[in-house]
Amino acid sequence: MMEKTLIIRTLTLFANVIARKLLLVLTFILVFWVIYLASTDHTKYLNHLRNPIDLNQWSIFKKFSPSEAPLNPAVSPTETELRVREIMEKLDRLIPPRPFTHINTTTSTKHSTATILNPQDTYCRGDQLDILLEARDHLGHRKEYGGNFLRARMYSPALKAGASGKVTDFNNGTYLVSFTLFWEGQVSLSVLLTHPSEGASALWRARNRGYDRIMFLGKFANGTSQVFTECGLSPNTSAELCQYLDARDQEAFYCVRPPRVPCAALTHVNSRNKDISYLSREEWSLFHRSNIGVEMMKDLSSIKVLPCNKSENIKKKCQTGMKTPFPSGYTLEGRWITTFCQQIKFNATEGIRGCLERKLIYLMGDSTLRQWIYFLPKVVKTLKVFDHHGTGVFKTHVLLDAERHILIQWKKHSHPFVTQTLFSVKDENYIPRQIDQLAGDSGTAIVITIGQHFRPFPIDIFIRRAINVKKAIERLLLRSPETKVILKTENTRELYLNTELFSDFHGYIQNLVIRDIFMDLNVGIIDAWDMTVAYNNYNVHPSDVIIGNQIDMFLNYIC
C-alpha cells in the first residue's frame, strides 16, 4: 500500500515539474517573438497570418463543377489568350468610339464630295484611278474623323465586268479610293456608304456586349421521350449546366441540364433570334433601309479606258503560300481573273475530273461552302451523292467517283451554328479536331470557311476559333507538308437583314482578323469577299456563277 502511494506522489510531482517547464518554455518563446516583431519589419508575417495556406491545393482528387472558378485567378494567360487580347486591342484602335448625338452630325451622301485626282482625257488599261472623297455631315460641315464603312466598286454591265476598289481612311474625314483599270471600255465607278462612322462604332460596341441575342435550344433524347432546354456559348443562369468542353482549345457549349436526363443525351440543337438589342432607338435610325448602301458619287460620270498596247507582267502559276493583294482579281465576261497568279482554265468536265482524280477533298465550314457539294455534280456527272444518312441539309454530305477514286466531303463547323433547323451534334466536331483526324498527303486537300455564323456574337470567340484552326493547320503541315490547305474568306450578304446581327461590317472585320492570323501560313486564299463585291452580290448564298469561279480558283491551287 505504501509503495502504491509513493508511486502516485512521484508521478504527480513529475507531471507538475513537466507542466511548469513547458509553461516556462512557452512564456520564453512568446516574449522572444514579441521583442523580435517590435524590432523588425513584421508586415509580411502579419499578412501571412491573415492568409493561411489553402490546404485544398494539396488535394489531387478535388473535383470541380462546371461553374466553379479556379483556385488561383492570377494564373498567367496562355499564348492564345494573349494573341486574342492583342488582336482585340488592334480592332479597338481601328474602331474608336464615335458617340451618336443626332442624325445631322452623321455622314451625308448628298453633301459629301468626290474628286478625281490628276484627271486625264484618256486612261489606259492597267492605270490606277484615284478619287479623293471628302465626307460631310447633313449640315454641310466636313467630318473631322474617319470610320465610315464604304464599299467601292467599278463595273461595266455590257462586259459583265466588275472589281473592288481599295479604300484608304485618313481618319480626318477624307478617304482615298483607288481603282485599278483592269479592262478596256466604258467603266462606271461607285462608292456606297454602307454605314456612317457612328453606325459602325455602334455596331462594334453592341456586338461585344454579350452572347444573348441568339438563343440555342438543345434536344435531349431520353428513350422514347424528348426534352428541350436552353443552351448557349456563355452560361447566364444559376441552373445546373451540362458543359461540352474542348479543354485543349478552350471551346465550350452549355445547356441547362434537364431533370433525370444525362448530359450525354443531347442529340440536336437549333437557334432563335431573341428580341434583345444593344442599340438605342436613335442609333437604330442609322440602319433604316434608306440609310444603308447609299451612293456617294452620283454626279461622277463614267470614264473610257483604252488598251494602249501595254504589256502585262508574266505571272507565276497559282499556288498555296502566295500573298493575296486587294483587289485579288476582277470579273470579265462573267469569269473571275486573278491579279497575282496565272490561272489554268479547266473545261467543264474532263479538266475538272482530271484534276480531282485520286483526290480526297474535305470541305469544312458553313453552308456557303456546302454550295460546292451542290454545284460539282452539275458539271462532273460521274460524281454521285453518297447517302451518309442523317437528316436535314446540315448532315455530312459526300460525293464519290469510285472509278477515279474521288471523295469530296462537307461537314459543318461546330458551335456557334445559327439556324432554325434542328441539326445533329452527334457526328460533328470543331474544325481543329476535324483537321487533327486527317493524316494528309499529296492527294489530300482541305477547304475551310468560317464567319457568317459568328457575326451575332462577341468577336473574341471568332478570334479564338481562327487561332485554333491555324494551330491545327500547322500541326497538319508539320506531319504532311504535301497536303493542300485553302481558306475561303466569307462573302457579302443581304444589306437589310437584321443589321445589328448580320451586317457586312462584322464580316469585313472578321476578314481583317483572318488575314492577320493566317498571314504567314502556307495556305491558298480564295477571296470570296473581294469576289462577291466585284459581282455585286447581296445574297448570303451567291449564284452558281460565283460558286463556279470559287471552285476554279480552288482547282488552280491543287492541280
Side-chain angles (χ1 to χ4, degrees):
M1 184 67 181
M2 289 182 61
E3 290 178 357
K4 185 176 180 181
T5 302
L6 181 62
I7 291 171
I8 292 173
R9 288 180 178 177
T10 303
L11 289 175
T12 303
L13 178 63
F14 185 71
N16 289 339
V17 170
I18 292 174
R20 284 195 291 271
K21 285 184 177 180
L22 286 174
L23 181 61
L24 183 62
V25 169
L26 289 174
T27 303
F28 176 78
I29 292 173
L30 179 62
V31 171
F32 176 80
W33 183 71
V34 170
I35 294 172
Y36 179 77
L37 290 180
S39 61
T40 63
D41 180 8
H42 58 277
T43 304
K44 62 181 179 180
Y45 295 99
L46 296 179
N47 285 338
H48 181 71
L49 288 176
R50 285 194 293 265
N51 297 282
I53 294 174
D54 186 353
L55 296 179
N56 284 333
Q57 66 180 306
W58 300 106
S59 174
I60 63 173
F61 300 105
K62 183 171 175 58
K63 294 182 180 180
F64 295 89
S65 67
S67 59
E68 192 169 352
L71 289 175
N72 185 6
V75 171
S76 299
T78 65
E79 177 188 347
T80 298
E81 288 166 342
L82 290 173
R83 186 76 171 107
V84 171
R85 291 180 195 175
E86 176 194 345
I87 295 174
M88 286 290 294
E89 289 170 0
K90 283 184 186 178
L91 294 175
D92 284 335
R93 289 194 296 270
L94 181 67
I95 320 164
R98 301 298 183 198
F100 175 72
T101 54
H102 192 277
I103 192 72
N104 284 343
T105 63
T106 64
T107 305
S108 163
T109 57
K110 180 180 179 181
H111 291 89
S112 298
T113 61
T115 307
I116 296 179
L117 300 179
N118 303 316
Q120 303 174 28
D121 294 332
T122 59
Y123 294 90
C124 295
R125 182 167 57 90
D127 285 352
Q128 180 169 301
L129 177 67
D130 292 325
I131 294 175
L132 183 66
L133 194 67
E134 189 177 80
R136 295 181 176 272
D137 64 22
H138 291 266
L139 301 176
H141 303 138
R142 202 185 103 171
K143 299 292 289 289
E144 296 181 352
Y145 50 84
N148 290 312
F149 180 45
L150 307 173
R151 179 179 297 181
R153 177 176 178 263
M154 69 178 199
Y155 57 97
S156 298
L159 300 173
K160 297 181 182 178
S164 300
K166 184 178 180 180
V167 178
T168 303
D169 186 349
F170 294 117
N171 296 310
N172 61 0
T174 61
Y175 303 79
L176 180 67
V177 184
S178 302
F179 296 98
T180 301
L181 305 176
F182 292 116
W183 63 86
E184 57 192 81
Q186 209 68 29
V187 175
S188 297
L189 307 173
S190 168
V191 176
L192 299 182
L193 175 64
T194 307
H195 304 307
S197 48
E198 294 80 5
S201 175
L203 288 175
W204 179 243
R205 186 201 74 244
R207 174 175 187 172
N208 294 301
R209 284 284 298 275
Y211 294 84
D212 52 353
R213 288 170 299 184
I214 300 287
M215 181 194 76
F216 293 94
L217 202 63
K219 172 185 168 184
F220 291 76
N222 185 23
T224 58
S225 63
Q226 300 173 356
V227 184
F228 289 84
T229 70
E230 188 168 340
C231 302
L233 298 169
S234 180
N236 187 22
T237 176
S238 58
E240 186 179 359
L241 296 173
C242 292
Q243 177 182 247
Y244 306 96
L245 174 67
D246 184 324
R248 182 194 68 188
D249 293 340
Q250 289 299 293
E251 301 273 15
F253 189 72
Y254 304 87
C255 289
V256 173
R257 182 169 188 166
R260 297 176 298 280
V261 176
C263 292
L266 177 66
T267 61
H268 292 78
V269 171
N270 68 354
S271 71
R272 296 287 187 275
N273 296 355
K274 295 179 74 172
D275 190 19
I276 293 176
S277 173
Y278 293 113
L279 297 173
S280 68
R281 184 186 301 273
E282 292 76 17
E283 286 171 335
W284 265 112
S285 68
L286 298 174
F287 306 111
H288 289 164
R289 185 164 184 159
S290 59
N291 293 330
I292 300 178
V294 184
E295 182 60 64
M296 298 192 75
M297 300 199 307
K298 299 185 186 75
D299 300 328
L300 204 64
S301 59
S302 62
I303 61 169
K304 186 162 186 172
V305 180
L306 303 175
C308 302
N309 296 320
K310 282 197 171 184
S311 60
E312 292 188 6
N313 295 328
I314 299 175
K315 296 176 288 190
K316 292 183 179 180
K317 180 193 174 298
C318 301
Q319 54 190 312
T320 57
M322 283 184 161
K323 300 298 182 185
T324 309
F326 186 87
S328 61
Y330 60 97
T331 172
L332 182 62
E333 298 296 343
R335 182 187 169 217
W336 180 253
I337 302 171
T338 61
T339 60
F340 64 96
C341 63
Q342 183 182 357
Q343 287 170 279
I344 301 169
K345 177 60 180 173
F346 294 89
N347 65 46
T349 302
E350 288 304 321
I352 298 177
R353 191 162 54 199
C355 175
L356 296 178
E357 189 163 354
R358 302 195 66 80
K359 295 290 196 303
L360 303 176
I361 297 169
Y362 299 92
L363 310 178
M364 306 174 182
D366 57 35
S367 56
T368 66
L369 197 52
R370 190 188 67 221
Q371 287 183 270
W372 289 24
I373 288 283
Y374 297 152
F375 179 87
L376 280 165
K378 297 176 184 178
V379 293
V380 182
K381 304 297 184 182
T382 57
L383 283 172
K384 303 300 180 183
V385 175
F386 174 79
D387 185 359
H388 206 272
H389 301 270
T391 57
V393 295
F394 299 118
K395 66 180 181 179
T396 299
H397 292 259
V398 175
L399 297 176
L400 286 176
D401 181 339
E403 183 180 341
R404 293 169 180 81
H405 304 283
I406 302 171
L407 179 144
I408 304 174
Q409 173 185 283
W410 174 84
K411 289 191 74 169
K412 60 179 285 300
H413 67 70
S414 194
H415 313 294
F417 205 81
V418 179
T419 175
Q420 293 186 8
T421 304
L422 275 174
F423 59 86
S424 172
V425 298
K426 284 304 179 185
D427 63 344
E428 73 170 25
N429 218 332
Y430 292 106
I431 287 178
R433 294 294 182 178
Q434 292 184 44
I435 296 172
D436 286 342
Q437 292 167 357
L438 300 177
D441 58 27
S442 59
T444 300
I446 301 172
V447 187
I448 301 165
T449 187
I450 56 173
Q452 297 285 352
H453 293 260
F454 289 79
R455 292 187 183 191
F457 303 100
I459 200 168
D460 62 322
I461 187 175
F462 177 80
I463 298 171
R464 180 179 297 277
R465 183 68 52 80
I467 292 171
N468 289 336
V469 169
K470 179 190 178 183
K471 289 181 176 180
I473 293 172
E474 288 173 333
R475 291 191 292 270
L476 170 64
L477 295 179
L478 188 63
R479 65 180 178 268
S480 175
E482 307 87 3
T483 303
K484 296 290 193 299
V485 181
I486 317 298
L487 295 178
K488 183 184 82 67
T489 66
E490 68 184 282
N491 50 260
T492 56
R493 63 178 301 165
E494 299 81 4
L495 282 179
Y496 318 111
L497 181 65
N498 199 328
T499 309
E500 183 176 357
L501 298 183
F502 298 109
S503 170
D504 271 345
F505 172 74
H506 299 316
Y508 170 73
I509 297 300
Q510 289 176 176
N511 273 320
L512 294 181
V513 170
I514 288 291
R515 288 189 173 275
D516 190 342
I517 291 174
F518 292 91
M519 183 186 306
D520 300 320
L521 209 57
N522 182 25
V523 298
I525 302 291
I526 298 174
D527 196 339
W529 182 273
D530 188 12
M531 195 179 288
T532 48
V533 169
Y535 277 98
N536 204 32
N537 171 75
Y538 291 101
N539 191 331
V540 69
H541 296 116
S543 67
D544 275 358
V545 171
I546 298 175
I547 299 302
N549 279 287
Q550 290 176 0
I551 292 173
D552 183 76
M553 192 69 213
F554 164 69
L555 298 175
N556 269 271
Y557 279 128
I558 69 170
C559 295

